[in-house]
Amino acid sequence: MTIPSTVDPVPPALPTEPTAARRGDRRARRRLPPRAAFVLHRVGRAVLCLAVVVVATFAIVHLVPGDPVRAALGPSATPELVASTRAQLGLDTPAARQFVAYVTGLPRGDLGVSLQTHRDVGATLAERLPATLTLALLGFVLAALGALIIGITTSVGAHRRRHRIADAVVSWLLGAIIAVPELLSAIGLVALFGVTLGVLPVAGWGDLDQAILPVVALALGPMAYLARIVHVEMLAVLDTPYLTTARSKRLPARLLYLRHALPNMITGALTAGGLVLSGMVAGTVVIETVFAIPGLGTTIVSSITAKDYPMIQGVVLVYATLVLALNLLVDLILATLDPRSSIMEG
């Protein structure tokens, strides 16, 4: 007599599924490196912002009341000429079709034809862009150098508790310069050096003496702002333990401040500098108008006055591209200098 077994038969072994850890490892291997993911994220965000700018600019300029063709041709133009010009430029079609034609032409560099000059917008912007870039870059270099000299000098004097009165006066002057608009700074420089003293030209572009007043007018406010940032950042670095240790070794001032202190405060100053440079690119509109510089600033002012839609859209697109490109460049530099920075997480 056989006794039935009470032990259940062991089921056949089934193929095991990958564990959560293994699945996580596979996903991690499929991920991009942190730096590549950061670059793609920033580039994608810049492209999205640029798309918003394109849509918003097209919508705004087409909502402005008035007939741009009539404004460009003048009141004496016949209705037939106005109608034929509008048809030639494609302005007699619905706004949606105009937008599609505009967007599809952007990858080819086709920005349309100016209503004022009847020239290609891209060719005009290519001629005007170098003056704007040169003005902005020279102004930024002057602002950055002046801010470093003023900020480091005042912070070292304040940390040593010397020259307190001079430091307070410099701080007050910097605050006053920041509060003065660029337009008033430019007019003041023209009145002093161009009209009263007569030592510098007040208009034009191309010669070295013609660039002095515009560059200084553009750089004054940003220089004061950056100098305050450098002053605060430098004071914070001078109180750190490693600077105290370096100071106890009786290192020369050149090594102490330039080699040990300056690299450790450059991240904060560079962040502010990127924002300042972007603002200076946009701020060239005022300076170019005051000093009659043939750049993008004077171009957009005259285009708005004449309701030149294609030129307005082209200038705004170029300005937006420059600002976004500068912000992207600053983010990449910050991520390279300090990979542990929180900017890599954003």
Side-chain angles (χ1 to χ4, degrees):
M1 180 177 177
T2 60
I3 300 174
S5 174
T6 59
V7 180
D8 295 335
V10 178
L14 298 176
T16 59
E17 296 182 357
T19 62
R22 291 179 180 177
R23 289 196 299 268
D25 292 340
R26 291 180 181 178
R27 286 196 298 267
R29 286 194 295 267
R30 288 196 297 265
R31 290 175 183 170
L32 292 173
R35 190 176 300 278
F38 170 77
V39 172
L40 288 178
H41 175 70
R42 284 294 191 269
V43 171
R45 192 167 67 177
V47 172
L48 179 61
C49 292
L50 197 60
V52 172
V53 169
V54 170
V55 175
T57 305
F58 184 89
I60 291 174
V61 298
H62 281 75
L63 290 176
V64 176
D67 187 354
V69 178
R70 171 64 68 180
L73 296 178
S76 60
T78 62
E80 293 77 11
L81 178 60
V82 173
S84 62
T85 304
R86 187 181 290 111
Q88 181 182 359
L89 297 175
L91 298 178
D92 58 339
T93 59
R97 186 176 298 178
Q98 295 181 37
F99 178 74
V100 172
Y102 175 67
V103 172
T104 54
L106 290 179
R108 304 190 304 269
D110 183 10
L111 300 177
V113 179
S114 172
L115 300 180
Q116 284 182 288
T117 61
H118 302 287
R119 291 188 60 200
D120 183 69
V121 172
T124 303
L125 297 182
E127 294 176 357
R128 301 297 182 93
L129 181 60
T132 299
L133 288 180
T134 303
L135 176 61
L137 292 177
L138 289 179
F140 179 73
V141 170
L142 178 61
L145 292 178
L148 287 175
I149 295 172
I150 296 172
I152 293 175
T153 303
T154 55
S155 61
V156 171
H159 188 263
R160 292 178 176 178
R161 293 179 174 81
R162 300 176 184 175
H163 312 295
R164 293 184 177 180
I165 297 178
D167 180 66
V169 171
V170 171
S171 179
W172 179 84
L173 287 176
L174 292 178
I177 293 174
I178 294 174
V180 177
E182 290 181 347
L183 178 61
L184 293 182
S185 299
I187 294 175
L189 291 173
V190 169
L192 178 60
F193 295 99
V195 178
T196 304
L197 300 178
V199 295
L200 291 173
V202 298
W205 186 258
D207 297 331
L208 179 60
D209 56 346
Q210 293 176 330
I212 294 176
L213 288 183
V215 170
V216 173
L218 183 63
L220 275 178
M223 180 180 64
Y225 174 76
L226 287 177
R228 298 287 291 269
I229 299 295
V230 173
H231 177 87
V232 173
E233 292 288 333
M234 196 68 173
L235 280 179
V237 171
L238 291 176
D239 288 329
T240 53
Y242 68 86
L243 253 295
T244 303
T245 303
R247 199 178 294 110
S248 65
K249 295 179 181 180
R250 301 183 180 275
L251 294 177
R254 176 177 57 84
L255 296 179
L256 183 65
Y257 297 121
L258 297 182
R259 178 178 296 181
H260 295 279
L262 184 60
N264 290 280
M265 53 76 60
I266 199 65
T267 302
L270 184 59
T271 303
L275 298 175
V276 166
L277 180 56
S278 300
M280 292 177 73
V281 170
T284 54
V285 175
V286 176
I287 302 301
E288 289 179 7
T289 303
V290 173
F291 293 96
I293 298 175
L296 296 181
T298 53
T299 302
I300 194 171
V301 170
S302 62
S303 301
I304 293 174
T305 304
K307 298 180 182 179
D308 191 349
Y309 292 168
M311 188 63 71
I312 295 173
Q313 293 171 179
V315 175
V316 172
L317 181 61
V318 171
Y319 270 123
T321 304
L322 290 176
V323 171
L324 292 173
L326 289 174
N327 290 335
L328 177 62
L329 179 62
V330 171
D331 288 346
L332 294 178
I333 293 175
L334 290 175
T336 302
L337 293 179
D338 188 6
R340 298 171 299 176
S341 175
S342 58
I343 194 173
M344 292 288 292
E345 303 172 2

